[in-house]
Amino acid sequence: MTKHTAEISNGSITVYKGNYDAYMAYKKEHEETLKNSSRNLERKIAQTERFIERFRSKATKASAVQSRVKLCESLKEDLPDLPENIRTIHFSFPLSRQSGGVPVKAERISMSYNDVKIFSGIDLIVARGDKIAITGPNGTGKTTLLKILAQIIQPADGLVTIGHNADIRYFGQHVLEQLSPDKTLFETIADVSGSGDRTFIQNILGAFLFSGDDVLKKTSVLSGGEKSRLALASILSKSGNVLILDEPTNHLDIQSIEILSDALVEFEGTVLFVSHNEYFISRVANRIIEMRPGVFQGFFRHNAAIP
Ligand SMILES: Nc1ncnc2c1ncn2[C@@H]1O[C@H](COP(=O)(O)OP(=O)(O)OP(=O)(O)O)[C@@H](O)[C@H]1O
Ligand SMILES: [Mg+2]
C-alpha cells in the first residue's frame, strides 16, 4: 500500500522510497555491505596492531610505529556502527523427541457455543513436520479449533487423537495475561523450561533479544512487544515436538518476526499456527488452511517441501 517506508531505530529515523518489500530488500543489501566493510576494517586493525606490538620497542622503527598508531586510530573511527539487528544470536529450539507420523488427527469435529454453530464436520490430519497456517476472518473459529486440537477444550462432537510421542506446546492468543508480573525474565524462563542451566536460559533470552541486565527486569514493566517475545521464548524453551501457536506475531516488531520465522522454519517438529500476517505465513507454512463461515479448505504450497 505504501510508497515510502520510515524506520525508527538506533535513535534516528530514516525514510526509504518504496513499499515494505523494497525496504526489506534494500535493508538486507545495506546490512551485508556494512557487515563486509566492518569485517575488512577489523582485519586491517588487527594487522596494524600486530605490527605496533612487534616493533614498539625498536628505535629504528619508531616513526613507522608512530604512523601505524595514527592509522589504527583512524581505522577505528571508520568502523561502522552496526545496527542492533545485525548482531542477532542464532539459537535453535530443542525437539523433545521424534513424534509419530501423525501427531494430531481430528475427525468430524464440530463446535457450538450456546447452540450457535461455529463449525462442523472438520477433518484434519496433521503429519509430522507439517507447518500448517490457519487463516480466515475474525470470529470464524480459528482459536476455538486450536484449543480443541491442543485439548484445552472439548469439541461438541467428533474425535481428536493425539499421536504417539507427541509433545504439544500451546501458545494462546491471550497468553500475555498469564505472565507472572512479579517474576523476572530469567525466572520466567527458568520456571517454564524447568532448567537450571544459566547459559541455556540466557541463550534463549538472547535469541529473543533480551540481554545483560534486561533479564533481571520484572515482567510487569515490559512493553507489549517485549511481553510477546518473552511469552514466545518461554513456550519455545520447553522442548516439545508439536507447536500450536495462536497469532504468535501479535505485537512483535519486524525483527522479532524474522527471528520467530527463522526459528520455526528450522524447527524439526510440527507447527500449527493461526496468523493474519501474510509475510509470516509465506515464510513458514507448507500448508495453508482457510476458514470461512461454512468452509474449511486446505492448500498445499507448491514451492515447499512436503514430507
Ligand atoms: N466461550 C464462548 N462462549 C460463547 N461464544 C464464544 C466463546 N468462545 C468463542 N465464542 C465465539 O465463537 C466464535 C469463534 O471465536 P474464535 O475465538 O474461535 O474466533 P477466531 O477465528 O479465533 O477469531 P480471531 O481472528 O478474531 O481471533 C466467535 O464468534 C466468538 O464470539
Ligand atoms: Mg483467534
Side-chain angles (χ1 to χ4, degrees):
M1 199 179 72
T2 56
K3 295 200 168 73
H4 290 84
T5 305
E7 180 196 74
I8 308 178
S9 76
N10 288 345
S12 65
I13 175 160
T14 317
V15 180
Y16 299 87
K17 208 166 170 217
N19 64 7
Y20 179 74
D21 286 343
Y23 153 72
M24 285 300 277
Y26 173 80
K27 212 172 139 63
K28 209 167 185 173
E29 200 184 300
H30 181 61
E31 282 177 3
E32 272 313 308
T33 317
L34 270 186
K35 266 200 268 191
N36 286 338
S37 69
S38 159
R39 226 176 280 138
N40 285 338
L41 276 173
E42 272 167 8
R43 206 176 302 133
K44 270 193 204 142
I45 291 171
Q47 267 172 11
T48 318
E49 281 175 340
R50 271 200 301 276
F51 181 92
I52 297 170
E53 212 35 58
R54 203 162 141 212
F55 298 112
R56 187 188 281 295
S57 48
K58 277 211 169 153
T60 52
K61 295 268 188 190
S63 74
V65 166
Q66 202 51 36
S67 75
R68 299 291 165 109
V69 169
K70 284 222 179 82
L71 173 68
C72 206
E73 276 164 13
S74 86
L75 286 176
K76 278 182 182 164
E77 268 168 31
D78 288 346
L79 264 184
D81 213 2
L82 290 188
E84 218 26 63
N85 52 0
I86 298 190
R87 298 195 208 108
T88 53
I89 297 167
H90 196 77
F91 188 77
S92 27
F93 291 92
L95 193 71
S96 55
R97 54 185 169 174
Q98 168 115 248
S99 74
V102 180
V104 182
K105 188 161 105 179
E107 289 164 280
R108 315 290 315 152
I109 54 171
S110 306
M111 191 60 185
S112 38
Y113 290 116
N114 313 318
D115 293 335
V116 179
K117 194 176 86 182
I118 307 296
F119 51 72
S120 62
I122 287 186
D123 286 313
L124 177 65
I125 289 180
V126 179
R128 180 179 62 224
D130 263 351
K131 308 267 165 85
I132 304 179
I134 300 176
T135 188
N138 293 139
T140 45
K142 301 178 299 297
T143 293
T144 305
L145 177 65
L146 283 198
K147 280 187 182 161
I148 291 173
L149 297 177
Q151 300 204 302
I152 289 164
I153 58 174
Q154 289 292 319
D157 209 357
L159 189 66
V160 174
T161 316
I162 302 302
H164 185 60
N165 287 349
D167 303 318
I168 295 182
R169 300 286 168 259
Y170 173 73
F171 176 87
Q173 199 171 0
H174 303 290
V175 74
L176 303 193
E177 290 138 36
Q178 290 159 21
L179 292 172
S180 313
D182 290 331
K183 286 200 178 134
T184 65
L185 277 65
F186 189 91
E187 287 163 350
T188 305
I189 300 295
D191 284 3
V192 177
S193 65
S195 164
D197 181 344
R198 287 193 82 80
T199 316
F200 173 77
I201 294 168
Q202 273 162 352
N203 281 348
I204 288 187
L205 285 166
F208 279 91
L209 310 176
F210 296 112
S211 56
D213 289 344
D214 281 350
V215 310
L216 302 175
K217 278 186 184 170
K218 291 242 165 38
T219 67
S220 56
V221 305
L222 295 180
S223 76
E226 287 173 338
K227 279 190 182 136
S228 253
R229 276 195 336 235
L230 179 65
L232 278 167
S234 72
I235 298 296
L236 295 170
S237 69
K238 195 171 172 206
S239 64
N241 53 29
V242 182
L243 301 175
I244 298 188
L245 312 171
D246 200 349
E247 302 201 25
T249 63
N250 272 359
H251 310 286
L252 293 186
D253 60 26
I254 294 168
Q255 188 191 355
S256 308
I257 292 176
E258 287 292 330
I259 292 172
L260 180 66
S261 0
D262 286 346
L264 293 182
V265 166
E266 264 184 39
F267 182 66
E268 287 173 7
T270 308
V271 186
L272 191 65
F273 65 98
V274 169
S275 179
H276 298 289
N277 182 327
E278 214 175 296
Y279 171 76
F280 181 70
I281 293 175
S282 73
R283 283 229 32 218
V284 178
N286 67 348
R287 282 174 74 186
I288 298 172
I289 290 171
E290 191 189 358
M291 270 179 102
R292 277 182 286 133
V295 179
F296 184 81
Q297 198 170 22
F299 304 91
F300 279 100
R301 282 184 56 204
H302 303 298
N303 56 350
I306 296 158

